[in-house]
Amino acid sequence: MEAIIKVDGLEKSYGEKKVVQKISFGVNKGEILCFLGPNGAGKSTTINILCGLLGYEGGVIKYKDKDVKKHLKEFKRHMGVVPQELAIYEDLSAEQNVRFFASLYGLRGRELEEKTDKALEFVGLYEKKNEKAKTFSGGMKRRLNIACAIAHEPELVIMDEPTVGIDPQSRNHILSSIKKLSKSGMTILYTTHYMEEVEEISSRILIMDSGTIIAEGTKESLKEEIFEERQFILEVEEDEDLNTDEFYKVEGVKKVEKKAEELIITTLKNVENLDKIIAIVIDSKTKIVNLYCRTASLENVFLRLTGKSLRD
């Protein structure tokens, strides 16, 4: 894939504290790269550097093989930013907000008008374009925030937790919109603390902790890499005579738990042994009501990599 942004050896310090420690990564054209990390990981600092809001002491950031420091204005022209804090003017209408931000990127006349309407239609606010932003719900303001960032049709959009504090319908609309932007060829760098969002939209994931990148890959590859086990959940008719010790004779089985009418068997994922597990249940004359496989979630991956303790 074509990397439109390449970060090599990026460093940032506040006094003697290094918050970003020689990190390197790429952002590929058209992908949705989800950036994750606990509080204090250096994620927000990295995002602010990429947005051009912060300087940095070491490393190189290239946009289409051009050094961003030397071509910062050009880089910013091709970028849109959706900040976590709403960047809209409450006393202006939706249309006036979008027109203002789009004009900062040089749009004028008919082009400005057409792209303003297109952005408002894309986020579902065209019918509300003459209404003031202060009359909007939280979800509508978030959608307006996105319209302001994409009206000039940037190649790269950086979205910093764009769904904080909104209703499920608005969140669903925003996530669907982000996938449409990606399909159109726009590149999205996305930060969130909602793992279900990452599950739904991510092309690839970067996880930061203590100023470094500790994991990188697709959601599927990260789950495969971090966890060597899976669980088979068998819902069975309660049977006091079922001997759980028999399952430990099956290759790959690591743990067996019996909870009322549920049998939870933890096994190595690279060992195909489900047929043998089912055979033991059938031989015991226990009826299987339902069966499914439970695999690791992204939240499990995140906690395994970064630890479970709360940080400030």
Side-chain angles (χ1 to χ4, degrees):
M1 295 183 72
E2 178 190 355
I4 65 169
I5 290 183
K6 295 178 182 177
V7 177
D8 185 20
L10 186 65
E11 291 182 286
K12 175 66 180 176
S13 300
Y14 290 110
E16 295 184 359
K17 184 179 180 181
K18 288 187 176 181
V19 292
V20 178
Q21 303 187 47
K22 292 186 177 180
I23 65 171
S24 300
F25 64 93
V27 184
N28 298 320
K29 181 175 175 59
E31 76 172 342
I32 302 172
L33 178 62
C34 289
F35 220 92
L36 304 178
N39 293 334
K43 170 175 58 74
S44 295
T45 300
T46 303
I47 294 299
N48 286 331
I49 290 172
L50 290 175
C51 289
L53 298 175
L54 280 178
Y56 50 98
E57 291 84 49
V60 177
I61 302 173
K62 288 187 176 182
Y63 171 72
K64 292 186 172 179
D65 290 327
K66 293 182 179 179
D67 191 327
V68 166
K69 274 189 175 179
K70 297 176 182 177
H71 302 272
L72 187 57
K73 286 186 178 181
E74 180 184 350
F75 175 54
K76 286 187 174 182
R77 279 202 304 270
H78 295 284
M79 177 175 61
V81 179
V82 182
Q84 183 177 341
E85 298 297 327
L86 289 169
I88 56 177
Y89 292 99
E90 297 274 350
D91 288 322
L92 296 182
S93 69
E95 181 182 32
Q96 288 170 329
N97 266 285
V98 178
R99 283 174 66 91
F100 170 73
F101 284 103
S103 70
L104 297 178
Y105 292 91
L107 299 187
R108 298 289 184 270
R110 177 166 292 185
E111 183 184 25
L112 174 59
E113 183 179 336
E114 289 176 353
K115 289 190 175 179
T116 295
D117 287 348
K118 184 179 178 181
L120 287 168
E121 193 158 348
F122 181 77
V123 299
L125 291 175
Y126 183 78
E127 300 300 324
K128 304 282 187 181
K129 70 178 187 176
N130 295 317
E131 297 182 21
K132 289 186 176 181
K134 65 183 178 183
T135 67
F136 288 179
S137 67
M140 291 167 70
K141 289 178 180 179
R142 289 284 173 188
R143 282 150 52 198
L144 178 58
N145 214 31
I146 291 173
C148 292
I150 66 169
H152 63 295
E153 298 181 350
E155 291 185 279
L156 170 71
V157 181
I158 297 176
M159 297 186 172
D160 190 7
E161 301 192 39
T163 62
V164 170
I166 62 174
D167 60 274
Q169 288 82 6
S170 292
R171 174 176 283 114
N172 183 65
H173 187 282
I174 287 174
L175 296 180
S176 296
S177 298
I178 290 168
K179 287 188 280 188
K180 288 178 184 176
L181 290 174
S182 175
K183 285 180 181 177
S184 73
M186 202 173 284
T187 303
I188 314 292
L189 183 53
Y190 192 90
T191 77
T192 183
H193 286 293
Y194 300 119
M195 292 299 167
E196 64 271 20
E197 293 186 2
V198 183
E199 290 272 11
E200 182 173 346
I201 69 171
S202 67
S203 307
R204 197 161 52 92
I205 301 164
L206 290 180
I207 301 178
M208 277 192 79
D209 198 16
S210 301
T212 63
I213 294 173
I214 59 172
E216 176 180 354
T218 64
K219 52 182 177 282
E220 294 83 8
S221 67
L222 286 174
K223 291 173 187 178
E224 286 291 319
E225 182 180 340
I226 302 304
F227 288 92
E228 297 179 349
E229 300 170 349
R230 61 184 170 183
Q231 287 184 328
F232 292 123
I233 316 297
L234 289 82
E235 295 177 11
V236 297
E237 288 187 349
E238 191 166 1
D239 186 352
E240 296 296 332
D241 295 328
L242 181 62
N243 182 8
T244 57
D245 290 339
E246 287 296 312
F247 294 104
Y248 287 103
K249 298 176 183 177
V250 176
E251 182 186 3
V253 171
K254 308 296 290 183
K255 186 178 180 182
V256 181
E257 299 172 85
K258 191 165 184 272
K259 298 179 180 179
E261 298 176 356
E262 193 173 71
L263 194 63
I264 305 170
I265 300 177
T266 303
T267 177
L268 294 175
K269 66 186 178 189
N270 58 351
V271 178
E272 297 301 328
N273 54 14
L274 181 58
D275 56 338
K276 296 180 178 64
I277 291 170
I278 292 174
I280 292 172
V281 179
I282 292 174
D283 288 346
S284 72
K285 307 261 188 310
T286 301
K287 183 178 179 181
I288 299 174
V289 178
N290 193 14
L291 184 153
Y292 59 95
C293 180
R294 181 189 293 161
T295 55
S297 68
L298 271 181
E299 188 167 350
N300 296 145
V301 171
F302 184 81
L303 292 174
R304 174 73 67 89
L305 288 168
T306 63
K308 297 182 180 181
S309 59
L310 186 64
R311 308 183 193 180
D312 295 319

